[in-house]
Amino acid sequence: MTSLLPESPPAAEQQLVARLRAQDEAAMTEFYDNYSAALYGVILRIVRREEDAEDVLQEAMVKIWHSFQSYDASKGRLFTWVLNVCRNLAIDKIRSRQYRVSSHSQPLDESPAERQPAVDSFRPEHIGLQELTRQLNPEQRQIVDLLYFEGYTQSEVAEELNMPLGTVKTRARAAIKVLSTLIR
């Protein structure tokens, strides 16, 4: 007669769990050596890019280490728990906006546009956008100039102007709205 109760984990797994609960770093190394290849394979099937899979695996290992106290052996085996942690992080990764944007774009060095020379007569300032920015208030204009004509990132603008990043984003968004109404 077979038992309907789940099989208890092997003694080696029970020892590893006890050592991980005690925050034994050598146990984490052993855990990584035993489980990382299988977990990486599952993550890679979800995210489909090696560099993303490596990032998710690293993030998962840190999360497992810091949240190991939440593992409940009575609810399932160690591998099942860590597999769910990795799977959830991988799904979070592919649902992230950053991932969706990067998966739809390609590096510039692979783009055919990179190999085409710009037309000599093209001058971006001739389209009149810089003149339109003169109609912005001084705070918005300063941010737009740095972002679009000087090539700064929003973080760099925040640092340069010594203001919060949120303020830079808000002013840039407001400036874009004003410019879009002026262009129409």
Side-chain angles (χ1 to χ4, degrees):
M1 176 180 221
T2 59
S3 171
L4 295 176
L5 296 174
E7 223 178 276
S8 65
E13 183 177 308
Q14 290 174 351
Q15 286 179 332
L16 181 61
V17 168
R19 290 172 55 211
L20 287 168
R21 283 195 197 285
Q23 297 285 293
D24 179 355
E25 291 180 16
M28 190 62 187
T29 301
E30 182 181 327
F31 169 81
Y32 182 85
D33 292 343
N34 291 333
Y35 292 93
S36 64
L39 297 172
Y40 176 80
V42 171
I43 293 167
L44 183 60
R45 273 187 265 147
I46 296 170
V47 299
R48 294 192 174 105
R49 289 193 304 223
E50 289 182 8
E51 60 274 3
D52 290 328
E54 291 166 1
D55 289 346
V56 170
L57 180 62
Q58 181 178 2
E59 184 180 345
M61 290 296 160
V62 170
K63 183 171 187 165
I64 290 164
W65 176 253
H66 289 294
S67 66
F68 198 80
Q69 300 305 322
S70 68
Y71 169 62
D72 184 357
S74 69
K75 293 183 180 178
R77 299 278 300 266
L78 177 60
F79 184 75
T80 305
W81 181 72
V82 297
L83 183 65
N84 281 326
V85 169
C86 291
R87 186 180 137 283
N88 291 341
L89 287 172
I91 289 169
D92 289 347
K93 177 74 170 181
I94 63 172
R95 288 181 178 167
S96 73
R97 184 169 190 256
Q98 177 187 6
Y99 181 87
R100 289 193 314 263
V101 168
S102 70
S103 67
H104 294 296
S105 61
Q106 59 178 318
L108 192 56
D109 57 351
E110 295 174 16
S111 169
E114 194 265 334
R115 292 183 288 277
Q116 291 180 327
V119 180
D120 290 335
S121 62
F122 178 71
R123 306 267 308 175
E125 57 273 9
H126 288 175
I127 62 173
L129 190 58
Q130 213 157 15
E131 287 78 26
L132 284 175
T133 63
R134 291 189 183 115
Q135 296 179 42
L136 296 172
N137 71 42
E139 295 168 335
Q140 292 174 337
R141 182 172 183 206
Q142 182 180 32
I143 289 174
V144 168
D145 284 346
L146 289 172
L147 287 172
Y148 297 100
F149 299 112
E150 299 294 325
Y152 283 53
T153 65
Q154 289 180 335
S155 298
E156 291 169 339
V157 171
E159 191 176 308
E160 176 76 20
L161 300 178
N162 196 27
M163 67 175 54
L165 179 60
T167 303
V168 171
K169 290 181 178 193
T170 301
R171 289 180 183 171
R173 193 175 316 114
I176 297 300
K177 282 184 180 180
V178 170
L179 289 172
S180 69
T181 58
L182 293 173
I183 291 172
R184 290 185 187 135

